[in-house]
Amino acid sequence: MAAENDRTYRAAAHSAMVALGQLLTMLASGAPTEQFPRPSADPATEQLPPGERSLLEEAAQAALEIRRTLDQHRKREAELAALFDTASDLAALRDLDAVLRAIVHRARTLLGTDVAYLSLNDPAAKDTFMRVTDGSVSARFQQLRLGMGEGLGGLVAQTARPYASTEYHTDPRFTHTRPIDEAVLEEGLRGILGVPLRVGKRVIGVLFAADRTTREFPPDAIALLTSLADHAAVAIDSARLLEETRSALVELNTANETARAHSTALRRAADAHDRLTDLVLRGGSVDDLVREIAALLGGGLALHDSDGTELARAGTGPLTPSPQGISASRAGGHAVPVDGTWVCAVLAGSQLLGSIVLTGRADLTDADRRLFERAALVAALLLLLRRTVAEAEDRVRGELLDDLLSFDQHGGHHDLGSLTIRARKLGLNLSRPYAVLTLDTDDEPRTQLLAEAVRRARSLGGLAGVRDGHVVLLVPSSAPGDLAAELARELGQAAGAPVTVGSAGPATGPQQLPDTYTEACRCLKALHALGCTGDGADIAGLGFLGVLLGDRSDINGFVERFLGPVLAYDQRRGTELVHTLDAYYTHGASLSKAKDALHVHVNTVVQRLDRVAQLLGPDWNSPSRALELQLALRLHRLNSHKKSHGVRETAPRTS
């Protein structure tokens, strides 16, 4: 019987190894994920112990994740390669039609649509007509002309704004005309995205991507098509400039010097474009980009993000970009002069990523201005790449935060060693004391609060994320209450709305973090219940309510906080201020009843209470202070009773 079981086990193990081998082979060959085998689905593996079956299933899931990650990287690489190829085509522009066909084809390929097409505006006819199509099968559609404001394309051409429709035929936002609807119906299009082709403030046409099925177009698809549209507009504009140059050479012999200078400028722009493209291809940083542009233009340069934070600068001192200049550049699509400097908005489509400022070149020529503007396009590409990397890192940090706050040292999914290693890779030393803080705001979207919290967590060397509907921070700190008050004030100013912060800690090690997080949540709820919205505190900072709410209540600390000066005075002088204060409150704050209970003269009671006021402050007998003092007196009496009867006091639990 044992031999039979052994053979069954070996057969099951062999099947499992074969399945794992198939997984690796299919992963190496780039097979689609739906074809990946599932080792746990093999009946033979049922003979394996549960732990080994679990390992098989984890291996299969890991292979699937690797496959998905590789697919995402390939997609991103294809998008970047297409943008770089387009930039290279523009640098060596010879055939405008070939460049436009390549851009339209790349739009169709990258967005994975059935059809892509490009239309150009006809100022004389005041309409827009099809210029290039890819994937179209309808002759009527390929010859279609749209009046300004008609259909989706006409609306894009008229408003210079991108529009997308999941189901064009039933979309009431657009002016439907019979010729347009019949042509679209003959082509079979349903989901359509259109973005404007702009040269400066002028809209010269529209770039489209469309499917023959209903389709949603996410923001990244709109941004990608907008980037391709910008390249197409540059190609058309460059072709126009070349044609003007040729005409000038033919018609005006006297314009030779001007044409030569213009040609030199174009060559310089192409060379600069190649240098900037090479910088991006070899993984250059924003510092490299700023130094390169500053050298090309012979001035100082500073790059800022959308919030005005400096990212890099070269050849100039610290400066603040002009908000009015950024707005004018963003609206007009060109660099604008501002007080002896030049400002250009860094855009991805219509989204503002930041700005670049050029100093020391008040007399910027048209060619240098265009070079400056093209540098802004390259800066946008680098910032988008940097944002992608940052978002990936934020996801990793958020996952670690979630695992730390849900850590279960008794049979949990994550062991202590792996959490410690993951934290160390992100620069966190879990042996240090950490504070856990929970934040919320009623008036501001959580996304903005989260962005500000992530920024602050990075500066403090901690983590930030979202858990149970709240923004959560885990940062090194031994004073969670002070940190909570500081964050409530600073994040409230940054977000422009009250931010409430509940905190707990300090906690040392992953084992203590879940309970600390729970206490921080209770503190946040207590702040709202007390009407302290917009404030920050820890349980101890809530006074006697902290004693009631905290699961790590420090009784001695509470007594010391409210009675410490009086207790110390009694110990030094041998007086009975605490006893007098207790009798005073016990008999309803009556001086006469207190003096009878103490068997002293009423003036003695008054003198002792005056001394209490000197030690505790003039507001010692206010309603809120009186309540806390009475609770502290009772807790002190309880501790004294335990000590006098030999009862060992239980130390407060720590987390």
Side-chain angles (χ1 to χ4, degrees):
M1 184 67 179
E4 179 64 27
N5 289 339
D6 183 60
R7 284 193 297 273
T8 302
Y9 173 80
R10 284 202 298 268
H14 176 73
S15 298
M17 294 303 294
V18 171
L20 286 176
Q22 291 175 345
L23 273 175
L24 294 175
T25 301
M26 300 189 77
L27 183 61
S29 64
T33 55
E34 60 268 14
Q35 294 181 7
F36 277 41
R38 297 296 293 269
S40 61
D42 188 345
T45 61
E46 292 296 327
Q47 304 301 323
L48 293 174
E52 295 185 15
R53 290 200 304 272
S54 176
L55 287 175
L56 284 174
E57 184 62 26
E58 290 178 3
Q61 290 298 327
L64 290 173
E65 288 299 324
I66 292 173
R67 175 75 268 154
R68 296 189 188 98
T69 301
L70 289 175
D71 290 343
Q72 291 173 357
H73 285 319
R74 289 194 184 99
K75 180 177 180 294
R76 186 59 181 165
E77 288 172 358
E79 293 175 355
L80 292 176
L83 290 176
F84 295 149
D85 289 344
T86 302
S88 298
D89 290 342
L90 295 180
L93 179 63
R94 290 183 178 84
D95 185 349
L96 176 61
D97 287 340
V99 174
L100 295 182
R101 284 195 297 271
I103 289 175
V104 171
H105 179 70
R106 286 167 188 156
R108 180 188 176 195
T109 302
L110 291 178
L111 272 67
T113 56
D114 297 322
V115 182
Y117 48 101
L118 182 148
S119 69
L120 292 180
N121 292 357
D122 186 342
K126 295 184 179 180
D127 63 6
T128 181
F129 62 96
M130 291 294 181
R131 181 70 158 77
V132 181
T133 65
D134 188 58
S136 172
V137 296
S138 168
R140 176 186 297 185
F141 182 79
Q142 295 168 12
Q143 300 172 4
L144 184 64
R145 299 184 75 99
L146 296 79
M148 291 298 178
E150 295 179 355
L152 186 149
L155 187 59
V156 173
Q158 183 182 60
T159 63
R161 296 173 55 188
Y163 280 92
S165 177
T166 304
E167 178 62 79
Y168 172 78
H169 295 288
T170 59
D171 199 325
R173 295 177 298 164
F174 309 110
T175 302
H176 292 267
T177 66
R178 183 175 178 181
I180 296 175
D181 286 354
E182 288 179 350
V184 172
L185 183 62
E186 183 175 300
E187 189 63 51
L189 300 182
R190 300 178 69 181
I192 304 176
L193 167 64
V195 298
L197 299 171
R198 288 182 290 195
V199 176
K201 297 181 179 181
R202 295 185 300 114
V203 177
I204 63 173
V206 181
L207 180 60
F208 301 84
D211 256 339
R212 294 189 174 93
T213 59
T214 58
R215 173 168 177 174
E216 294 282 350
F217 290 94
D220 59 346
I222 298 174
L224 176 59
L225 192 63
T226 300
S227 297
L228 290 171
D230 290 340
H231 282 303
V234 170
I236 296 169
D237 188 40
S238 298
R240 178 185 59 81
L241 292 174
L242 288 173
E243 185 60 31
E244 289 176 355
T245 302
R246 293 189 189 100
S247 299
L249 289 172
V250 172
E251 297 174 3
L252 303 171
N253 291 328
T254 57
N256 283 337
E257 289 299 324
T258 303
R260 189 176 299 111
H262 184 66
S263 178
T264 301
L266 286 176
R267 285 196 300 272
R268 178 169 175 260
D271 176 65
H273 198 278
D274 287 342
R275 290 170 64 179
L276 296 179
T277 302
D278 178 67
L279 184 147
V280 174
L281 288 173
R282 57 184 168 83
S285 65
V286 291
D287 293 291
D288 298 330
L289 174 67
V290 166
R291 284 194 295 269
E292 189 76 25
I293 300 171
L296 286 170
L297 294 175
L301 200 82
L303 173 64
H304 300 81
D305 67 9
S306 57
D307 296 329
T309 302
E310 182 183 288
L311 300 178
R313 59 184 166 89
T316 185
L319 52 85
T320 301
S322 165
Q324 295 79 9
I326 296 174
S327 298
S329 175
R330 185 179 185 183
H334 284 297
V336 296
V338 178
D339 298 332
T341 66
W342 285 84
V343 178
C344 188
V346 177
L347 303 171
S350 59
Q351 181 183 9
L352 179 67
L353 300 180
S355 63
I356 52 176
V357 180
L358 178 66
T359 64
R361 287 295 307 276
D363 57 342
L364 201 63
T365 64
D366 288 344
D368 284 348
R369 178 180 56 80
R370 285 194 294 272
L371 175 57
F372 183 48
E373 292 166 354
R374 291 188 182 183
L377 292 176
V378 179
L381 180 58
L382 283 181
L383 292 181
L384 284 174
L385 291 173
R386 187 167 120 163
R387 174 181 295 181
T388 300
V389 173
E391 288 175 351
E393 183 179 345
D394 288 342
R395 283 195 297 272
V396 172
R397 300 176 77 90
E399 290 169 358
L400 175 60
L401 175 63
D402 193 64
D403 291 342
L404 287 171
L405 298 184
S406 60
F407 175 71
D408 180 4
Q409 58 184 315
H410 303 294
H413 294 294
H414 304 282
D415 62 84
L416 178 60
S418 66
L419 286 176
T420 303
I421 292 173
R422 289 167 58 191
R424 190 178 299 123
K425 288 181 178 179
L426 294 177
L428 277 74
N429 181 1
L430 297 182
S431 63
R432 298 174 58 190
Y434 277 80
V436 179
L437 306 101
T438 58
L439 304 78
D440 67 9
T441 179
D442 295 331
D443 302 331
E444 192 67 23
R446 191 180 66 187
T447 51
Q448 182 169 345
L449 176 59
L450 176 60
E452 294 292 340
V454 167
R455 200 175 287 179
R456 187 59 194 271
R458 284 182 180 276
S459 67
L460 295 174
L463 303 174
V466 176
R467 184 174 175 85
D468 301 328
H470 299 300
V471 176
V472 181
L473 273 77
L474 174 67
V475 295
S477 176
S478 298
D482 295 339
L483 180 59
E486 179 184 347
L487 287 177
R489 180 177 62 258
E490 293 183 357
L491 294 181
Q493 292 175 352
V499 175
T500 309
V501 184
S503 66
T508 305
Q511 302 95 324
Q512 299 179 6
L513 291 176
D515 290 340
T516 307
Y517 167 66
T518 302
E519 183 175 314
C521 291
R522 283 201 302 271
C523 183
L524 180 64
K525 292 180 181 179
L527 286 168
H528 285 302
L530 292 171
C532 297
T533 298
D535 292 337
D538 57 2
I539 287 292
L542 299 179
F544 75 93
L545 287 175
V547 176
L548 299 176
L549 294 171
D551 63 349
R552 306 179 300 151
S553 302
D554 185 1
I555 303 294
N556 292 333
F558 181 82
V559 173
E560 178 65 25
R561 180 177 179 183
F562 290 97
L563 283 178
V566 181
L567 290 169
Y569 189 89
D570 279 351
Q571 186 175 5
R572 290 195 311 269
R573 304 293 183 91
T575 54
E576 296 186 352
L577 297 184
V578 172
H579 185 46
T580 302
L581 189 60
D582 194 8
Y584 173 71
Y585 282 129
T586 300
H587 293 87
S590 169
L591 293 174
S592 61
K593 292 181 180 180
K595 63 97 175 175
D596 292 339
L598 295 170
H599 305 291
V600 297
H601 193 274
V602 67
N603 289 339
T604 301
V605 176
V606 172
Q607 291 171 359
R608 291 178 179 178
L609 293 180
D610 287 342
R611 177 65 64 183
V612 168
Q614 294 175 9
L615 295 171
L616 298 183
D619 64 336
W620 69 275
N621 205 22
S622 63
S624 60
R625 289 289 303 279
L627 180 59
E628 291 170 334
L629 282 173
Q630 291 178 64
L631 180 57
L633 287 166
R634 294 192 179 210
L635 293 174
H636 174 65
R637 193 185 324 144
L638 176 62
N639 280 346
S640 299
H641 177 74
K642 287 180 180 180
K643 293 176 182 177
S644 65
H645 287 77
V647 179
R648 184 174 61 87
E649 183 178 356
T650 302
R653 294 187 294 113
T654 59
S655 64

